[in-house]
Amino acid sequence: MPGSHPPRALVGWRLLALAYDLLPVLALWFVVAAGFTAAHGDAVRGGALGLVEFAVLWAVAGAYATLSWRRGGQTIGMRAWRLRVTDAAGGAPRWRALWLRYLVGAIGLLAGGLGFWWAWIDRDRLAWHDRASGTRMQRIDKPAKA
């Protein structure tokens, strides 16, 4: 329909994309962990350095997500499932909104996924991070066959 908004992404599509995105994030985490291990001379096992490592791992995952969302609206996992992050008007979200989306999304995952499951009962099918950041995840139509 001309002028209609793209459909909202269902929870299942979001979780599948998240599962796909775990692979590049794990690769980035291995690089970070290798750097900490090389600098420390052994694996980091807690303490203040462990907290610093955890914060760096969280920030690296956030950088992967927010850079991907900002550059094309999609991470690698989102491309596979034809999902895109936009602002409420359908444009490219601002950096602040993307980092807020990442922060609230992480909290929603830590709460047993409640932030994602919320989309099942939300009137607009929005997850916590969608509402908090003013962003939307939309399903992209398949390209027309030539």
Side-chain angles (χ1 to χ4, degrees):
M1 287 188 266
S4 68
H5 296 287
R8 301 268 191 253
L10 300 176
V11 173
W13 297 121
R14 293 170 183 247
L15 294 177
L16 287 169
L18 191 62
Y20 271 40
D21 282 325
L22 183 60
L23 297 175
V25 168
L26 279 175
L28 292 170
W29 285 352
F30 277 118
V31 171
V32 170
F36 271 86
T37 301
H40 187 259
D42 194 8
V44 177
R45 295 188 179 101
L49 188 58
L51 289 175
V52 170
E53 183 180 25
F54 178 79
V56 171
L57 292 171
W58 185 83
V60 164
Y64 162 76
T66 57
L67 283 168
S68 297
W69 293 332
R70 183 69 179 157
R71 292 193 67 208
Q74 299 173 297
T75 61
I76 292 170
M78 291 168 66
R79 286 181 189 179
W81 299 103
R82 299 186 339 263
L83 303 174
R84 178 177 291 135
V85 172
T86 65
D87 63 12
R94 298 193 179 275
W95 284 108
R96 182 182 183 283
L98 294 174
W99 276 102
L100 183 59
R101 178 184 179 81
Y102 178 70
L103 171 65
V104 176
I107 292 168
L109 280 175
L110 288 173
L114 189 59
F116 284 85
W117 307 129
W118 182 261
W120 282 347
I121 62 172
D122 188 89
R123 70 180 180 275
D124 296 321
R125 285 200 223 155
L126 299 177
W128 286 355
H129 46 279
D130 296 322
R131 286 240 177 251
S133 65
T135 60
R136 304 292 181 261
M137 185 175 291
Q138 298 173 334
R139 183 109 163 130
I140 303 166
D141 293 331
K142 286 184 182 180
K145 292 184 181 181

